[in-house]
mmCIF file of all heavy atoms in Angstrom:
data_model
loop_
_atom_site.group_PDB
_atom_site.id
_atom_site.type_symbol
_atom_site.label_atom_id
_atom_site.label_comp_id
_atom_site.label_asym_id
_atom_site.label_seq_id
_atom_site.Cartn_x
_atom_site.Cartn_y
_atom_site.Cartn_z
ATOM 1 N N PHE A 1 0.621 8.213 -2.097
ATOM 2 C CA PHE A 1 0.415 8.166 -3.562
ATOM 3 C C PHE A 1 -1.082 7.926 -3.893
ATOM 4 O O PHE A 1 -1.809 7.357 -3.124
ATOM 5 C CB PHE A 1 1.309 7.085 -4.238
ATOM 6 C CG PHE A 1 2.779 7.404 -4.175
ATOM 7 C CD1 PHE A 1 3.565 7.019 -3.142
ATOM 8 C CD2 PHE A 1 3.333 8.197 -5.184
ATOM 9 C CE1 PHE A 1 4.937 7.330 -3.082
ATOM 10 C CE2 PHE A 1 4.647 8.494 -5.169
ATOM 11 C CZ PHE A 1 5.478 8.092 -4.053
ATOM 12 N N ARG A 2 -1.453 8.418 -5.033
ATOM 13 C CA ARG A 2 -2.860 8.259 -5.481
ATOM 14 C C ARG A 2 -3.151 6.757 -5.813
ATOM 15 O O ARG A 2 -2.227 5.946 -6.131
ATOM 16 C CB ARG A 2 -3.108 9.025 -6.799
ATOM 17 C CG ARG A 2 -2.977 10.567 -6.572
ATOM 18 C CD ARG A 2 -3.508 11.294 -7.754
ATOM 19 N NE ARG A 2 -3.418 12.737 -7.610
ATOM 20 C CZ ARG A 2 -4.272 13.490 -6.965
ATOM 21 N NH1 ARG A 2 -5.337 12.908 -6.411
ATOM 22 N NH2 ARG A 2 -4.108 14.785 -6.827
ATOM 23 N N HIS A 3 -4.418 6.427 -5.659
ATOM 24 C CA HIS A 3 -4.840 5.069 -6.095
ATOM 25 C C HIS A 3 -4.682 4.899 -7.615
ATOM 26 O O HIS A 3 -4.738 5.859 -8.366
ATOM 27 C CB HIS A 3 -6.306 4.860 -5.780
ATOM 28 C CG HIS A 3 -6.642 4.926 -4.289
ATOM 29 N ND1 HIS A 3 -5.861 4.299 -3.328
ATOM 30 C CD2 HIS A 3 -7.625 5.586 -3.622
ATOM 31 C CE1 HIS A 3 -6.373 4.529 -2.121
ATOM 32 N NE2 HIS A 3 -7.430 5.306 -2.294
ATOM 33 N N PRO A 4 -4.407 3.673 -8.026
ATOM 34 C CA PRO A 4 -4.449 3.446 -9.485
ATOM 35 C C PRO A 4 -5.845 3.681 -10.016
ATOM 36 O O PRO A 4 -6.816 3.619 -9.258
ATOM 37 C CB PRO A 4 -4.027 1.949 -9.601
ATOM 38 C CG PRO A 4 -4.281 1.343 -8.262
ATOM 39 C CD PRO A 4 -4.091 2.451 -7.263
ATOM 40 N N PRO A 5 -5.997 3.971 -11.261
ATOM 41 C CA PRO A 5 -7.310 4.359 -11.829
ATOM 42 C C PRO A 5 -8.350 3.298 -11.724
ATOM 43 O O PRO A 5 -9.579 3.577 -11.676
ATOM 44 C CB PRO A 5 -6.994 4.734 -13.261
ATOM 45 C CG PRO A 5 -5.712 4.100 -13.573
ATOM 46 C CD PRO A 5 -4.909 4.049 -12.295
ATOM 47 N N LYS A 6 -7.948 2.015 -11.652
ATOM 48 C CA LYS A 6 -8.939 0.900 -11.572
ATOM 49 C C LYS A 6 -8.356 -0.165 -10.682
ATOM 50 O O LYS A 6 -7.193 -0.539 -10.807
ATOM 51 C CB LYS A 6 -9.258 0.318 -12.925
ATOM 52 C CG LYS A 6 -10.258 -0.798 -12.940
ATOM 53 C CD LYS A 6 -10.639 -1.204 -14.335
ATOM 54 C CE LYS A 6 -11.503 -2.425 -14.318
ATOM 55 N NZ LYS A 6 -12.844 -2.149 -13.611
ATOM 56 N N MET A 7 -9.178 -0.578 -9.698
ATOM 57 C CA MET A 7 -8.701 -1.607 -8.774
ATOM 58 C C MET A 7 -9.094 -3.005 -9.288
ATOM 59 O O MET A 7 -10.319 -3.311 -9.377
ATOM 60 C CB MET A 7 -9.289 -1.361 -7.387
ATOM 61 C CG MET A 7 -8.768 -2.282 -6.327
ATOM 62 S SD MET A 7 -6.939 -2.112 -6.189
ATOM 63 C CE MET A 7 -6.543 -3.601 -5.240
ATOM 64 N N LEU A 8 -8.151 -3.856 -9.626
ATOM 65 C CA LEU A 8 -8.414 -5.126 -10.218
ATOM 66 C C LEU A 8 -8.456 -6.241 -9.238
ATOM 67 O O LEU A 8 -8.778 -7.388 -9.560
ATOM 68 C CB LEU A 8 -7.319 -5.473 -11.282
ATOM 69 C CG LEU A 8 -7.187 -4.457 -12.424
ATOM 70 C CD1 LEU A 8 -5.960 -4.852 -13.305
ATOM 71 C CD2 LEU A 8 -8.454 -4.425 -13.245
ATOM 72 N N PHE A 9 -8.139 -5.987 -7.949
ATOM 73 C CA PHE A 9 -7.959 -7.022 -6.919
ATOM 74 C C PHE A 9 -9.101 -6.894 -5.922
ATOM 75 O O PHE A 9 -9.771 -5.909 -5.835
ATOM 76 C CB PHE A 9 -6.609 -6.877 -6.249
ATOM 77 C CG PHE A 9 -5.479 -6.908 -7.255
ATOM 78 C CD1 PHE A 9 -4.912 -5.758 -7.719
ATOM 79 C CD2 PHE A 9 -4.969 -8.179 -7.678
ATOM 80 C CE1 PHE A 9 -3.863 -5.823 -8.662
ATOM 81 C CE2 PHE A 9 -3.903 -8.199 -8.554
ATOM 82 C CZ PHE A 9 -3.386 -7.076 -9.092
ATOM 83 N N PRO A 10 -9.307 -7.901 -5.079
ATOM 84 C CA PRO A 10 -10.296 -7.877 -4.012
ATOM 85 C C PRO A 10 -10.127 -6.613 -3.192
ATOM 86 O O PRO A 10 -8.989 -6.251 -2.850
ATOM 87 C CB PRO A 10 -10.028 -9.130 -3.209
ATOM 88 C CG PRO A 10 -9.419 -10.125 -4.225
ATOM 89 C CD PRO A 10 -8.587 -9.278 -5.118
ATOM 90 N N ASP A 11 -11.239 -5.950 -2.847
ATOM 91 C CA ASP A 11 -11.136 -4.660 -2.329
ATOM 92 C C ASP A 11 -11.042 -4.568 -0.820
ATOM 93 O O ASP A 11 -10.948 -3.491 -0.251
ATOM 94 C CB ASP A 11 -12.315 -3.806 -2.804
ATOM 95 C CG ASP A 11 -13.650 -4.377 -2.265
ATOM 96 O OD1 ASP A 11 -13.681 -5.382 -1.604
ATOM 97 O OD2 ASP A 11 -14.712 -3.693 -2.507
ATOM 98 N N VAL A 12 -11.019 -5.665 -0.087
ATOM 99 C CA VAL A 12 -11.011 -5.597 1.410
ATOM 100 C C VAL A 12 -9.693 -5.015 1.880
ATOM 101 O O VAL A 12 -9.655 -4.043 2.634
ATOM 102 C CB VAL A 12 -11.205 -7.028 1.996
ATOM 103 C CG1 VAL A 12 -11.031 -6.971 3.507
ATOM 104 C CG2 VAL A 12 -12.532 -7.562 1.648
ATOM 105 N N ALA A 13 -8.577 -5.527 1.413
ATOM 106 C CA ALA A 13 -7.203 -5.036 1.786
ATOM 107 C C ALA A 13 -7.034 -3.562 1.297
ATOM 108 O O ALA A 13 -6.451 -2.751 1.970
ATOM 109 C CB ALA A 13 -6.127 -5.899 1.214
ATOM 110 N N TRP A 14 -7.638 -3.273 0.137
ATOM 111 C CA TRP A 14 -7.522 -1.941 -0.428
ATOM 112 C C TRP A 14 -8.163 -0.876 0.497
ATOM 113 O O TRP A 14 -7.594 0.165 0.790
ATOM 114 C CB TRP A 14 -8.155 -1.913 -1.801
ATOM 115 C CG TRP A 14 -8.064 -0.625 -2.516
ATOM 116 C CD1 TRP A 14 -9.022 0.269 -2.672
ATOM 117 C CD2 TRP A 14 -6.886 -0.083 -3.110
ATOM 118 N NE1 TRP A 14 -8.572 1.389 -3.407
ATOM 119 C CE2 TRP A 14 -7.309 1.193 -3.675
ATOM 120 C CE3 TRP A 14 -5.580 -0.525 -3.279
ATOM 121 C CZ2 TRP A 14 -6.351 1.959 -4.361
ATOM 122 C CZ3 TRP A 14 -4.722 0.267 -3.956
ATOM 123 C CH2 TRP A 14 -5.081 1.522 -4.487
ATOM 124 N N ARG A 15 -9.354 -1.167 0.947
ATOM 125 C CA ARG A 15 -10.079 -0.214 1.823
ATOM 126 C C ARG A 15 -9.288 0.005 3.126
ATOM 127 O O ARG A 15 -9.244 1.051 3.654
ATOM 128 C CB ARG A 15 -11.504 -0.748 2.102
ATOM 129 C CG ARG A 15 -12.373 -0.715 0.895
ATOM 130 C CD ARG A 15 -13.852 -0.815 1.341
ATOM 131 N NE ARG A 15 -14.687 -0.857 0.207
ATOM 132 C CZ ARG A 15 -15.416 -1.946 -0.113
ATOM 133 N NH1 ARG A 15 -15.351 -3.024 0.599
ATOM 134 N NH2 ARG A 15 -16.208 -1.937 -1.213
ATOM 135 N N ARG A 16 -8.709 -1.071 3.661
ATOM 136 C CA ARG A 16 -8.000 -1.016 4.893
ATOM 137 C C ARG A 16 -6.652 -0.288 4.688
ATOM 138 O O ARG A 16 -6.173 0.401 5.571
ATOM 139 C CB ARG A 16 -7.769 -2.411 5.475
ATOM 140 C CG ARG A 16 -7.131 -2.465 6.795
ATOM 141 C CD ARG A 16 -7.034 -3.847 7.379
ATOM 142 N NE ARG A 16 -6.114 -4.715 6.653
ATOM 143 C CZ ARG A 16 -6.460 -5.735 5.888
ATOM 144 N NH1 ARG A 16 -7.744 -6.057 5.733
ATOM 145 N NH2 ARG A 16 -5.573 -6.436 5.216
ATOM 146 N N PHE A 17 -6.057 -0.443 3.501
ATOM 147 C CA PHE A 17 -4.712 0.075 3.257
ATOM 148 C C PHE A 17 -4.698 1.594 2.941
ATOM 149 O O PHE A 17 -3.759 2.301 3.298
ATOM 150 C CB PHE A 17 -4.088 -0.735 2.111
ATOM 151 C CG PHE A 17 -2.690 -0.380 1.904
ATOM 152 C CD1 PHE A 17 -1.671 -0.760 2.770
ATOM 153 C CD2 PHE A 17 -2.264 0.303 0.751
ATOM 154 C CE1 PHE A 17 -0.352 -0.441 2.555
ATOM 155 C CE2 PHE A 17 -0.919 0.607 0.522
ATOM 156 C CZ PHE A 17 0.017 0.202 1.403
ATOM 157 N N HIS A 18 -5.741 2.040 2.265
ATOM 158 C CA HIS A 18 -5.888 3.484 1.931
ATOM 159 C C HIS A 18 -4.884 3.870 0.791
ATOM 160 O O HIS A 18 -5.297 4.121 -0.297
ATOM 161 C CB HIS A 18 -5.754 4.379 3.127
ATOM 162 C CG HIS A 18 -6.771 4.103 4.171
ATOM 163 N ND1 HIS A 18 -8.130 4.212 3.938
ATOM 164 C CD2 HIS A 18 -6.682 3.711 5.425
ATOM 165 C CE1 HIS A 18 -8.787 3.921 5.027
ATOM 166 N NE2 HIS A 18 -7.936 3.576 5.949
ATOM 167 N N HIS A 19 -3.609 4.084 1.116
ATOM 168 C CA HIS A 19 -2.638 4.604 0.098
ATOM 169 C C HIS A 19 -1.272 3.895 0.279
ATOM 170 O O HIS A 19 -0.955 3.472 1.357
ATOM 171 C CB HIS A 19 -2.397 6.117 0.333
ATOM 172 C CG HIS A 19 -3.564 6.983 -0.018
ATOM 173 N ND1 HIS A 19 -3.896 7.349 -1.254
ATOM 174 C CD2 HIS A 19 -4.462 7.572 0.834
ATOM 175 C CE1 HIS A 19 -4.965 8.147 -1.255
ATOM 176 N NE2 HIS A 19 -5.318 8.262 0.032
ATOM 177 N N ASP A 20 -0.580 3.771 -0.802
ATOM 178 C CA ASP A 20 0.827 3.398 -0.680
ATOM 179 C C ASP A 20 1.601 4.669 -0.316
ATOM 180 O O ASP A 20 1.273 5.776 -0.750
ATOM 181 C CB ASP A 20 1.389 2.703 -1.927
ATOM 182 C CG ASP A 20 0.951 3.325 -3.242
ATOM 183 O OD1 ASP A 20 -0.074 4.073 -3.222
ATOM 184 O OD2 ASP A 20 1.601 3.149 -4.245
ATOM 185 N N HIS A 21 2.641 4.493 0.507
ATOM 186 C CA HIS A 21 3.337 5.614 1.118
ATOM 187 C C HIS A 21 4.837 5.534 0.870
ATOM 188 O O HIS A 21 5.403 4.436 0.882
ATOM 189 C CB HIS A 21 3.109 5.693 2.611
ATOM 190 C CG HIS A 21 1.714 6.045 3.019
ATOM 191 N ND1 HIS A 21 0.738 5.034 3.079
ATOM 192 C CD2 HIS A 21 1.152 7.185 3.368
ATOM 193 C CE1 HIS A 21 -0.409 5.644 3.518
ATOM 194 N NE2 HIS A 21 -0.210 6.923 3.650
ATOM 195 N N LEU A 22 5.476 6.695 0.765
ATOM 196 C CA LEU A 22 6.911 6.827 0.902
ATOM 197 C C LEU A 22 7.143 7.648 2.150
ATOM 198 O O LEU A 22 6.704 8.810 2.240
ATOM 199 C CB LEU A 22 7.517 7.529 -0.327
ATOM 200 C CG LEU A 22 9.091 7.752 -0.265
ATOM 201 C CD1 LEU A 22 9.791 6.422 -0.268
ATOM 202 C CD2 LEU A 22 9.526 8.647 -1.412
ATOM 203 N N THR A 23 7.803 7.080 3.193
ATOM 204 C CA THR A 23 7.954 7.741 4.461
ATOM 205 C C THR A 23 9.459 8.035 4.678
ATOM 206 O O THR A 23 10.283 7.129 4.619
ATOM 207 C CB THR A 23 7.436 6.874 5.603
ATOM 208 O OG1 THR A 23 6.026 6.671 5.383
ATOM 209 C CG2 THR A 23 7.627 7.652 6.929
ATOM 210 N N LEU A 24 9.775 9.279 4.933
ATOM 211 C CA LEU A 24 11.154 9.748 5.209
ATOM 212 C C LEU A 24 11.235 9.999 6.737
ATOM 213 O O LEU A 24 10.714 10.996 7.244
ATOM 214 C CB LEU A 24 11.450 11.006 4.399
ATOM 215 C CG LEU A 24 11.067 11.008 2.919
ATOM 216 C CD1 LEU A 24 11.246 12.361 2.309
ATOM 217 C CD2 LEU A 24 11.846 9.931 2.184
ATOM 218 N N ASP A 25 11.853 9.032 7.401
ATOM 219 C CA ASP A 25 12.026 9.230 8.836
ATOM 220 C C ASP A 25 13.224 10.109 9.199
ATOM 221 O O ASP A 25 14.390 9.806 8.762
ATOM 222 C CB ASP A 25 12.193 7.835 9.551
ATOM 223 C CG ASP A 25 10.887 7.131 9.742
ATOM 224 O OD1 ASP A 25 10.012 7.697 10.370
ATOM 225 O OD2 ASP A 25 10.807 5.974 9.240
ATOM 226 N N LEU A 26 12.955 11.160 9.922
ATOM 227 C CA LEU A 26 13.993 12.223 10.205
ATOM 228 C C LEU A 26 14.646 11.983 11.557
ATOM 229 O O LEU A 26 15.621 12.634 11.896
ATOM 230 C CB LEU A 26 13.355 13.595 10.129
ATOM 231 C CG LEU A 26 12.631 13.934 8.851
ATOM 232 C CD1 LEU A 26 12.081 15.375 8.938
ATOM 233 C CD2 LEU A 26 13.451 13.702 7.613
ATOM 234 N N GLY A 27 14.073 11.122 12.365
ATOM 235 C CA GLY A 27 14.698 10.842 13.698
ATOM 236 C C GLY A 27 13.610 10.588 14.718
ATOM 237 O O GLY A 27 12.457 10.911 14.524
ATOM 238 N N PRO A 28 13.971 9.915 15.844
ATOM 239 C CA PRO A 28 15.364 9.550 16.208
ATOM 240 C C PRO A 28 15.916 8.422 15.390
ATOM 241 O O PRO A 28 17.178 8.278 15.187
ATOM 242 C CB PRO A 28 15.269 9.181 17.678
ATOM 243 C CG PRO A 28 13.816 8.779 17.864
ATOM 244 C CD PRO A 28 13.035 9.610 16.923
ATOM 245 N N GLU A 29 15.068 7.547 14.862
ATOM 246 C CA GLU A 29 15.558 6.449 13.952
ATOM 247 C C GLU A 29 15.438 7.021 12.485
ATOM 248 O O GLU A 29 14.321 7.410 12.065
ATOM 249 C CB GLU A 29 14.744 5.177 14.136
ATOM 250 C CG GLU A 29 14.979 4.547 15.474
ATOM 251 C CD GLU A 29 14.134 3.286 15.656
ATOM 252 O OE1 GLU A 29 13.456 2.878 14.642
ATOM 253 O OE2 GLU A 29 14.194 2.703 16.756
ATOM 254 N N GLU A 30 16.527 7.045 11.779
ATOM 255 C CA GLU A 30 16.564 7.736 10.500
ATOM 256 C C GLU A 30 16.570 6.718 9.359
ATOM 257 O O GLU A 30 17.391 5.799 9.358
ATOM 258 C CB GLU A 30 17.808 8.626 10.468
ATOM 259 C CG GLU A 30 17.839 9.697 11.593
ATOM 260 C CD GLU A 30 19.172 10.352 11.670
ATOM 261 O OE1 GLU A 30 20.157 9.915 11.107
ATOM 262 O OE2 GLU A 30 19.179 11.453 12.327
ATOM 263 N N GLY A 31 15.692 6.948 8.378
ATOM 264 C CA GLY A 31 15.641 6.016 7.246
ATOM 265 C C GLY A 31 14.552 6.375 6.254
ATOM 266 O O GLY A 31 13.904 7.445 6.378
ATOM 267 N N ILE A 32 14.300 5.522 5.340
ATOM 268 C CA ILE A 32 13.292 5.689 4.293
ATOM 269 C C ILE A 32 12.543 4.377 4.157
ATOM 270 O O ILE A 32 13.125 3.298 4.075
ATOM 271 C CB ILE A 32 13.939 6.029 2.957
ATOM 272 C CG1 ILE A 32 14.779 7.322 3.064
ATOM 273 C CG2 ILE A 32 12.884 6.160 1.856
ATOM 274 C CD1 ILE A 32 15.578 7.602 1.843
ATOM 275 N N THR A 33 11.202 4.455 4.208
ATOM 276 C CA THR A 33 10.348 3.273 4.064
ATOM 277 C C THR A 33 9.356 3.421 2.948
ATOM 278 O O THR A 33 8.677 4.489 2.839
ATOM 279 C CB THR A 33 9.603 2.979 5.396
ATOM 280 O OG1 THR A 33 10.542 2.850 6.439
ATOM 281 C CG2 THR A 33 8.767 1.738 5.276
ATOM 282 N N LEU A 34 9.239 2.450 2.119
ATOM 283 C CA LEU A 34 8.191 2.394 1.034
ATOM 284 C C LEU A 34 7.202 1.319 1.442
ATOM 285 O O LEU A 34 7.578 0.160 1.663
ATOM 286 C CB LEU A 34 8.857 2.045 -0.266
ATOM 287 C CG LEU A 34 7.942 2.094 -1.553
ATOM 288 C CD1 LEU A 34 7.373 3.491 -1.699
ATOM 289 C CD2 LEU A 34 8.687 1.603 -2.763
ATOM 290 N N THR A 35 5.973 1.751 1.580
ATOM 291 C CA THR A 35 4.857 0.861 1.972
ATOM 292 C C THR A 35 3.957 0.675 0.844
ATOM 293 O O THR A 35 3.449 1.652 0.187
ATOM 294 C CB THR A 35 4.087 1.433 3.198
ATOM 295 O OG1 THR A 35 5.035 1.681 4.246
ATOM 296 C CG2 THR A 35 3.038 0.429 3.666
ATOM 297 N N PHE A 36 3.591 -0.597 0.477
ATOM 298 C CA PHE A 36 2.808 -0.875 -0.724
ATOM 299 C C PHE A 36 2.117 -2.196 -0.545
ATOM 300 O O PHE A 36 2.265 -2.877 0.465
ATOM 301 C CB PHE A 36 3.768 -0.962 -1.939
ATOM 302 C CG PHE A 36 4.886 -1.976 -1.768
ATOM 303 C CD1 PHE A 36 4.759 -3.254 -2.260
ATOM 304 C CD2 PHE A 36 6.065 -1.568 -1.130
ATOM 305 C CE1 PHE A 36 5.796 -4.191 -2.106
ATOM 306 C CE2 PHE A 36 7.125 -2.482 -0.933
ATOM 307 C CZ PHE A 36 6.973 -3.809 -1.462
ATOM 308 N N LEU A 37 1.270 -2.532 -1.492
ATOM 309 C CA LEU A 37 0.504 -3.743 -1.444
ATOM 310 C C LEU A 37 1.221 -4.844 -2.264
ATOM 311 O O LEU A 37 1.708 -4.593 -3.376
ATOM 312 C CB LEU A 37 -0.896 -3.557 -1.968
ATOM 313 C CG LEU A 37 -1.886 -2.802 -1.056
ATOM 314 C CD1 LEU A 37 -3.116 -2.468 -1.795
ATOM 315 C CD2 LEU A 37 -2.139 -3.613 0.226
ATOM 316 N N ALA A 38 1.253 -6.057 -1.746
ATOM 317 C CA ALA A 38 1.822 -7.188 -2.384
ATOM 318 C C ALA A 38 0.896 -8.384 -2.325
ATOM 319 O O ALA A 38 0.011 -8.365 -1.476
ATOM 320 C CB ALA A 38 3.162 -7.513 -1.861
ATOM 321 N N LYS A 39 1.100 -9.372 -3.113
ATOM 322 C CA LYS A 39 0.250 -10.558 -3.095
ATOM 323 C C LYS A 39 0.604 -11.416 -1.853
ATOM 324 O O LYS A 39 1.753 -11.664 -1.537
ATOM 325 C CB LYS A 39 0.435 -11.435 -4.317
ATOM 326 C CG LYS A 39 -0.384 -12.724 -4.303
ATOM 327 C CD LYS A 39 -0.108 -13.581 -5.504
ATOM 328 C CE LYS A 39 -0.882 -14.903 -5.405
ATOM 329 N NZ LYS A 39 -0.626 -15.704 -4.237
ATOM 330 N N LYS A 40 -0.425 -11.779 -1.125
ATOM 331 C CA LYS A 40 -0.267 -12.658 0.063
ATOM 332 C C LYS A 40 -0.052 -14.081 -0.432
ATOM 333 O O LYS A 40 -0.748 -14.567 -1.381
ATOM 334 C CB LYS A 40 -1.517 -12.632 0.847
ATOM 335 C CG LYS A 40 -1.408 -13.248 2.223
ATOM 336 C CD LYS A 40 -2.629 -12.948 3.040
ATOM 337 C CE LYS A 40 -2.550 -13.552 4.449
ATOM 338 N NZ LYS A 40 -3.763 -13.253 5.250
ATOM 339 N N PRO A 41 0.953 -14.790 0.065
ATOM 340 C CA PRO A 41 1.168 -16.159 -0.380
ATOM 341 C C PRO A 41 -0.083 -17.039 -0.248
ATOM 342 O O PRO A 41 -0.790 -16.974 0.726
ATOM 343 C CB PRO A 41 2.334 -16.665 0.515
ATOM 344 C CG PRO A 41 3.009 -15.426 0.961
ATOM 345 C CD PRO A 41 1.972 -14.428 1.079
ATOM 346 N N GLY A 42 -0.342 -17.819 -1.280
ATOM 347 C CA GLY A 42 -1.513 -18.703 -1.238
ATOM 348 C C GLY A 42 -2.110 -18.877 -2.607
ATOM 349 O O GLY A 42 -1.684 -18.244 -3.579
ATOM 350 N N PRO A 43 -3.113 -19.714 -2.689
ATOM 351 C CA PRO A 43 -3.690 -20.037 -3.999
ATOM 352 C C PRO A 43 -4.578 -18.956 -4.655
ATOM 353 O O PRO A 43 -4.869 -18.989 -5.822
ATOM 354 C CB PRO A 43 -4.542 -21.293 -3.704
ATOM 355 C CG PRO A 43 -4.892 -21.180 -2.245
ATOM 356 C CD PRO A 43 -3.770 -20.446 -1.635
ATOM 357 N N THR A 44 -5.039 -17.984 -3.824
ATOM 358 C CA THR A 44 -5.898 -16.901 -4.346
ATOM 359 C C THR A 44 -5.144 -15.545 -4.368
ATOM 360 O O THR A 44 -4.161 -15.389 -3.667
ATOM 361 C CB THR A 44 -7.176 -16.799 -3.495
ATOM 362 O OG1 THR A 44 -6.778 -16.485 -2.111
ATOM 363 C CG2 THR A 44 -7.934 -18.092 -3.515
ATOM 364 N N MET A 45 -5.706 -14.659 -5.158
ATOM 365 C CA MET A 45 -5.101 -13.359 -5.333
ATOM 366 C C MET A 45 -5.572 -12.432 -4.172
ATOM 367 O O MET A 45 -6.552 -11.724 -4.295
ATOM 368 C CB MET A 45 -5.427 -12.725 -6.651
ATOM 369 C CG MET A 45 -4.714 -11.383 -6.872
ATOM 370 S SD MET A 45 -2.942 -11.420 -6.855
ATOM 371 C CE MET A 45 -2.581 -12.194 -8.405
#
């Protein structure tokens, strides 16, 4: 997926992460995975 138009959060994880993804696994292990960024537990964003 495309980046949001403006990045409001610290950019270190963003550069490493590149894109959020929807992955459709066809085999041998079959499934669907959504990969995205979430807040890491702690006092800072």
Side-chain angles (χ1 to χ4, degrees):
F1 290 93
R2 293 189 182 280
H3 298 313
K6 182 174 175 61
M7 186 58 194
L8 301 176
F9 303 95
D11 63 356
V12 175
W14 182 256
R15 291 197 184 113
R16 186 174 67 248
F17 187 70
H18 300 299
H19 292 279
D20 42 340
H21 293 84
L22 179 66
T23 302
L24 313 173
D25 279 306
L26 309 180
E29 295 179 3
E30 301 169 344
I32 300 170
T33 302
L34 185 62
T35 305
F36 54 95
L37 286 171
K39 180 186 176 298
K40 190 174 183 179
T44 60
M45 183 61 75

